Amino acid sequence: MEYFLQQLINGLTLGAIYGLIALGYTMVYGILGMINFAHGTIYMLGAFISLIGYLAATTVGGAPVTLALLLALFATMAFTALWGWTIERVAYRPLRKAPRLAPLISAIGVSIILQNFAALAQGTRAKPLPPVIRGGFTLINSDDFPVSLSWMQIIVFVMTVTLMAGFTWMITRTSLGRAQRATEQDMKMAALLGIDVDRVVSATFVIGAALAGVAGLMVTLYYGVIDFYIGFLAGIKAFTAAVLGGIGSLPGAMLGGLLIGLIEAFWSAYFSIEYKDVATFGILVLVLVFRPTGLLGRPDVEKI
Amino acid sequence: MTPSLLDVEHLTMRFGGLFAVNDLSFTAGNGEITAVIGPNGAGKTTLFNCITGFYKPQEGRIALNHPDGRMALERLDDHAIARRAGVARTFQNIRLFPRMSVLENLIVAQHTRLMRASMFSLAGLLGLRRYRRAEAAAVERARHWLDRTALTRFADDEAGSLPYGHQRRLEIARAMCTEPRLLCLDEPAAGLNPRESAELNRLLLDIRADEGIGLLLIEHDMSVVMGISDRVVVLDYGKKIAEGTPAEVRGDPAVIRAYLGEPDEAETG
Amino acid sequence: MPAALRDSLLAGLVAAALALPMLGVRLVDSATGLSLAGRFDLVAWAAGLVFGGRLLLRLIPPLPAMPVLPAGFGNLRPAAGWAMAAFAVLLPFLPFADRNVVDKATLVLIYIMLGWGLNIVVGLAGLLDLGFVAFYAVGAYSYALLSQSFGLSFWVCLPLAGVLSASFGLLLGFPVLRLRGDYIAIVTMGLGEIVRVILQNWQELTGGPNGISGIERPSLFGLSFKAVPPEGQRSFAEFFGLDYSGDHRVIFLYFLILILALATNLFTLRIRRLPVGRAWEALREDEIACRSLGINPTTVKLSAFGIGAMFAGFAGSFFATRQGFISPESFTFMESAVILAIVVLGGMGSQIGIVLAALLLVGLPEWFRELQQYRMLAFGGAMVLIMLWKPAGLLSHREPTIRLDGQP
């Protein structure tokens, strides 16, 4: 039981991170119908930028930990947002009317570029960061297996919930959110009604990238080690989460992320850690075969 | 009266709570043109999609009287309906294979026959005579329908590059290349100019006369409906409100109401 | 003019901002943990390059819309194809073709063959397969395992590997192919990763991350290419009265893959004109129309998937016999991406386009092996640039498979 509870906490933490990345995938897919393959690498860049930002603030600027973390957070969001904006502008926008596969290939190209750019610029060795935020609570003080909840995990939850709340508010209450929803339903119609579709798409990439950047920051702090390759697998898993939740659905992305995190944690804990990725992809295949619209996705009637 | 070809009985198709087709029954005869008309959203295209198997109705039966026996279409997959029952169709928004040539479109339509002749392409891979003969026959059939639809000189052009009216005719030619027993046409005259529309009437009448098959037609263009159909079924909100010869239907008060609205709301409708 | 300048300045500023954290500061491992080192000159370089590049692009009038091929080019294609094939056959005997050149050409040919195989799935049938490497892996491991466990020769294993890969393709394809387009991409990618993870972890069968080494090299009708042939065999050099040379095997492998690749090509050219091939293309164009014509989409898709997998299986066993060593590392997602890129860049369905794309994406970077680090960067850059330049691929023209009067 204690062991189970601990895995639940670990799984939810991991899932929250996947969920944040998944939001970017689901938003872009909802609007452009395209798999933004480079999204995982943005998350990787986020992890690097946050590490650099944090170190710059503490070692160079001499800032206290809390301030340094806040600075790193804002810097990460700003820089990843700029990366997201640039990528859309340079590699996707010219291809919006191109054959369906063109933007996908371009996106794969971008992700290869960024991954190797990171490897060249920062080296291929993994970068360790000693734990910044230590300590936590022991929830159950059992003899054979104490269940603990670390401060870091609490921070991950709080930040995810805050971002989700802010995000939901933006989508439902602001004019940008309305424009975004309209564009998602029918881009041509939205443009005819005077919505600046280019701006909406840019905003989508900026927001998605910033969220992925936050996920990168949290991973840096939570695991304390990053390398240039982390974007690929996390990207696939986050996309899996988006599909599992129902692509295009924002709560679905979060739910899918949590589920993937839980599956991974429990599978590693109870079955085999080597095959945890097989479990994730296996679930993806099963979901798509039996419920192609995902858990929260709207069923769509084939238009003939 | 000619023996019926298609019997639709108590057909019901719901989307969520909405009845797109509601307890609909009618028959279509062999060697007849049956038109299905009705205001927008009356359920005509849904009816077509049920008959051709793209939608599975919740209730009711759709039976096709085939020389091989009576076939329950609601139980067959869409491609099996086309292949086994011989129901061919066209689409409201033309669905050609745009990057393939006009001729290729017509050859693909004969896929089933060619697959059988080529033993699933094996004979073709080995270059056997048997396949070459079958392919030549397929080209001849295609040529026949190209001639009849006046598309012969476009045979080697990309289908997607044809003008709209030509694409409509090509879709009919393609459907006819499957050698159907029942041809379902979803608004074949939409977007045609009066001359093209008159040509279409002639083509459809010729098909009825020469092939002896049944035609089922959704149409908004009343000149087409009144000009060529033998019988007319009128739908409104998924229900049949009238049925009969064009002349009978034209005078039916229920039909007039459906098209022009209730007398007291005539100004708004 | 001022507009161009302003625009380029903006681009330069954005580049500077992008480069600032990632390029301008380097994480350095030191005794006390990570520390930072500034390299702001690189940021300036990046900004300057982007500014200059952008300005040039703005000032130079756009190139005349890409070499528009003459109308009669379609008829030239078979000629171009034959010329290429002839060149490929003569290549090992050309004066500049040393062992290194032939070896690299062999590698390019592997990708050409894989590209032609995947072209059936993606280019013709329109099924976006991001896990093609799985079938390549199945072919390679099939050969390695069959040859090591049962002592079967390459020539017996080659068809077996093809059959195994194809069956594997059918097995996986069955659930996957009912899905809509983009989902197929994701699920095949997932399946590709599953296969790799299994290869990585199933120690007893696959040797895990260490892979399988000492894989039997092929022989030519029983003639070995080893310096000292195994008992009961004669060596190639001995039989033809030549001095032993390691080059013989390299050239033999080159011709082996050339024959395999050309066979793939001939098969594709032929099947495109058969009912199955036409149904693939029709399915790519409009699945609903296909169903309305009595074509069962599932079986048609399965046939494309299975045949594509079969060719990947052949290529896989060739890869295993050429390397003599295989491990899961050779079958990562990146390989699938490279093969897909070759197909799409080549122009989706164009056989010659695939050759060009493979030369461009695999051959060209091979010459810059010394710049290993920058190779992948250039590779990714080429993918993006070619897509931006020609979104439909290098050669996107399509010839009909049949003409009303006579064959095409």
Side-chain angles (χ1 to χ4, degrees), chain A residues 29 33 35 37 45 48 51-52 55-56 79 82-83 86 90-91 94-95 98-102 104-106 108-110 112-113 116-118 120-123 125 127-128 232 236 239 247 274-275 278 281-282 284-285 288-289 292 300 302-304, chain C residues 14 17-18 20-23 25-27 29 34 36 39 122 126 128 130 175 178-183 186-187 189-191 193-194 197-198 201-202 288 291 333-334 337 340-341 344-345 348 373-374 376-377 379-381 383-384 387-388 391-392:
Chain A
Y29 192 94
I35 303 167
F37 213 90
L45 289 180
F48 270 95
L51 181 55
I52 291 169
L55 286 177
F79 282 113
L82 188 61
W83 274 104
T86 312
V90 173
L95 293 175
R100 204 172 49 90
L101 280 180
L104 181 74
I105 296 296
S106 184
I108 294 176
V110 168
I112 293 175
I113 295 176
N116 288 282
F117 166 67
L120 276 168
Q122 301 295 345
R125 295 252 307 270
K127 304 281 178 276
F232 174 66
I236 297 188
F239 189 84
I247 193 128
E274 290 89 14
Y275 286 107
V278 172
F281 295 125
L284 171 73
V285 174
L288 281 182
V289 169
D300 54 349
E302 200 169 26
K303 284 254 170 43
I304 292 166
Chain C
V14 170
L18 290 179
L20 183 64
M22 284 305 285
L23 203 58
V25 185
R26 188 178 169 96
L27 292 160
D29 297 294
L34 283 178
L36 299 176
R39 295 177 305 177
V122 180
L128 184 46
L130 284 179
R178 285 180 302 170
L179 300 173
R180 277 188 301 146
D182 294 326
Y183 287 169
I186 295 307
V187 173
M189 181 170 76
L191 289 173
E193 277 300 295
I194 289 181
V197 172
I198 290 175
N201 290 300
W202 196 353
I288 287 174
R291 274 148 59 186
F333 169 74
M334 215 21 97
L340 180 71
V344 177
L345 296 182
M348 292 278 284
Q373 303 255 12
Y374 296 88
M376 287 311 281
L377 205 60
F379 175 76
M383 276 169 89
V384 176
M387 275 296 104
L388 292 179

Side-chain angles (χ1 to χ4, degrees), chain C residues 185-346:
Chain C
I186 295 307
V187 173
T188 48
M189 181 170 76
L191 289 173
E193 277 300 295
I194 289 181
V195 167
R196 194 184 57 82
V197 172
I198 290 175
L199 292 178
Q200 187 107 36
N201 290 300
W202 196 353
Q203 293 278 354
E204 306 84 67
L205 186 72
T206 65
N210 299 329
I212 301 174
S213 53
I215 300 167
E216 186 59 34
R217 301 311 192 97
S219 59
L220 176 69
F221 301 113
L223 296 175
S224 164
F225 285 93
K226 290 183 181 139
V228 183
E231 203 127 329
Q233 271 188 33
R234 301 179 66 188
S235 86
F236 176 81
E238 191 188 335
F239 186 82
F240 288 100
L242 301 167
D243 291 331
Y244 170 78
S245 157
D247 292 358
H248 293 161
R249 173 155 63 203
V250 174
I251 294 174
F252 169 65
L253 285 172
Y254 172 79
F255 278 114
L256 184 55
I257 186 67
L258 182 62
I259 290 168
L260 285 172
L262 286 179
T264 313
N265 182 36
L266 283 181
F267 178 88
T268 309
L269 290 180
R270 183 119 214 179
I271 204 157
R272 269 194 64 200
R273 300 187 181 165
L274 293 174
V276 175
R278 293 204 186 101
W280 289 339
E281 290 199 75
L283 205 63
R284 175 194 70 202
E285 299 286 299
D286 196 324
E287 176 172 340
I288 287 174
C290 278
R291 274 148 59 186
S292 83
L293 296 172
I295 297 172
N296 182 345
T298 312
T299 53
V300 173
K301 285 181 190 170
L302 271 179
S303 65
F305 214 61
I307 290 174
M310 178 180 77
F311 285 118
F314 291 150
S317 16
F318 174 81
F319 176 77
T321 196
R322 171 179 182 247
Q323 306 293 110
F325 162 75
I326 50 171
S327 76
E329 238 168 72
S330 306
F331 307 103
T332 56
F333 169 74
M334 215 21 97
E335 292 297 307
S336 291
V338 170
I339 305 165
L340 180 71
I342 288 172
V343 175
V344 177
L345 296 182

Side-chain angles (χ1 to χ4, degrees), chain B residues 54 78-79 82-83 91 95 97-100 103-104 107 111 114-115 121 124-125 127 131 135 143 156, chain C residues 267 270 273-276 278-279 282 285-286 288-289 291-296 396 398 401-405:
Chain B
F54 285 93
D78 40 28
H79 54 86
R83 195 169 56 240
F91 297 88
R95 283 183 176 273
F97 306 123
R99 294 226 309 147
M100 298 175 87
L103 178 61
E104 283 175 313
I107 301 286
H111 178 79
L114 283 171
M115 279 297 264
S121 294
L125 213 50
Y131 172 69
E135 194 183 69
R143 189 195 295 277
D156 299 327
Chain C
F267 178 88
R270 183 119 214 179
R273 300 187 181 165
L274 293 174
V276 175
R278 293 204 186 101
E285 299 286 299
D286 196 324
I288 287 174
R291 274 148 59 186
S292 83
L293 296 172
I295 297 172
N296 182 345
S396 53
R398 178 185 179 278
T401 60
I402 189 168
R403 286 179 184 276
L404 191 56
D405 296 303

